[in-house]
């Protein structure tokens, strides 16, 4: 079996790169749902989109499977081996009153979005647990507390992109 040079990965990543046995490894791989315990070969604690891209490119070059975790609330299959990208450090949130939109980074939680939206008289389409990650909740459909009147959170996504900005999730379509 080929030994992988994880130092070359760490040189491309702004956030932490952790291997089994290193300080912080167990904390980084553990999410809210303790029934799922990932056992990756390496963890990339992404702090920007470029870290995620570099991690995926590295994994592809070394034929490593990739798993992603924000808060670890979901029920998933534990990642065995490979590369785990954690996005919890990517937690930027900005609410635009004019477009009634929230711009959120990959690791943002609803507990960050709710007060920012409320300052503008808005409410996100969140569920009952504010410590859940916005992106993963939304990509999973996200039946919101306001779902009967406003539908699924996934139905309100305008765009997901990088371009140096967080993903765009919103409550109303933008007028053109």
């Amino acid at each position: 079996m080929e030994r992988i040079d994880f130092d070359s990965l760490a040189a491309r990543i702004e956030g932490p790169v952790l291997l089994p046995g290193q300080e912080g490894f167990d904390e980084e791989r553990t999410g809210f749902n303790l029934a799922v315990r990932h056992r990756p070969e390496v963890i990339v604690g992404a702090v920007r989109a470029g870290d995620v891209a570099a991690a995926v490119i590295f994994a592809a070059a070394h034929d490593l499977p990739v798993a992603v975790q924000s808060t670890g609330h979901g029920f998933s299959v534990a990642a065995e081996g490979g590369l785990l990208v954690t996005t919890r450090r990517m937690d930027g949130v900005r609410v635009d009153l004019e477009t009634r939109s929230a711009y959120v980074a990959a690791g943002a939680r609803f507990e960050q979005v709710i007060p920012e939206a409320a300052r503008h008289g808005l409410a996100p389409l969140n569920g009952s647990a504010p410590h859940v990650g916005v992106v993963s909740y939304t990509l999973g459909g996200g039946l919101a507390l306001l779902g009967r009147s406003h539908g699924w959170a996934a139905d309100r996504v305008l765009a997901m992109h990088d371009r140096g900005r967080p993903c765009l999730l919103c409550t109303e379509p933008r007028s053109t």
Side-chain angles (χ1 to χ4, degrees):
M1 184 169 157
E2 170 195 351
R3 184 181 176 318
I4 299 174
D5 178 17
F6 292 117
D7 290 337
S8 66
L9 172 63
R12 298 180 202 141
I13 304 294
E14 190 175 319
V17 174
L18 302 166
L19 299 172
Q22 287 184 322
E23 185 177 335
F25 180 86
D26 284 335
E27 181 182 354
E28 193 73 22
R29 72 184 175 129
T30 303
F32 179 83
N33 180 358
L34 298 178
V36 177
R37 188 82 172 193
H38 299 297
R39 292 176 206 68
E41 290 177 61
V42 62
I43 301 172
V44 171
V47 297
R48 58 187 180 82
D51 287 353
V52 177
V56 171
I57 290 167
F58 181 89
H62 293 88
D63 200 27
L64 294 172
V66 177
V68 179
Q69 176 174 277
S70 175
T71 62
H73 277 79
F75 290 98
S76 65
V77 175
E80 295 288 338
L83 187 147
L84 175 64
V85 176
T86 59
T87 61
R88 66 183 78 177
R89 291 168 186 83
M90 299 171 63
D91 62 357
V93 172
R94 181 175 60 82
V95 173
D96 183 334
L97 180 58
E98 185 177 316
T99 61
R100 299 169 54 100
S101 300
Y103 296 81
V104 300
R109 298 173 186 222
F110 277 110
E111 64 192 358
Q112 297 164 285
V113 177
I114 294 167
E116 187 64 22
R119 285 181 348 115
H120 300 285
L122 301 173
L125 292 177
N126 60 287
S128 60
H131 50 283
V132 168
V134 176
V135 173
S136 53
Y137 172 85
T138 302
L139 290 175
L143 181 55
L145 295 170
L146 299 172
R148 289 181 186 255
S149 58
H150 291 84
W152 297 87
D155 292 337
R156 299 300 182 152
V157 175
L158 291 181
M160 291 192 178
H161 52 83
D162 172 18
R163 289 186 245 140
R165 288 179 250 142
C167 296
L168 170 66
L169 303 174
C170 69
T171 59
E172 285 189 7
R174 208 186 314 208
S175 59
T176 54

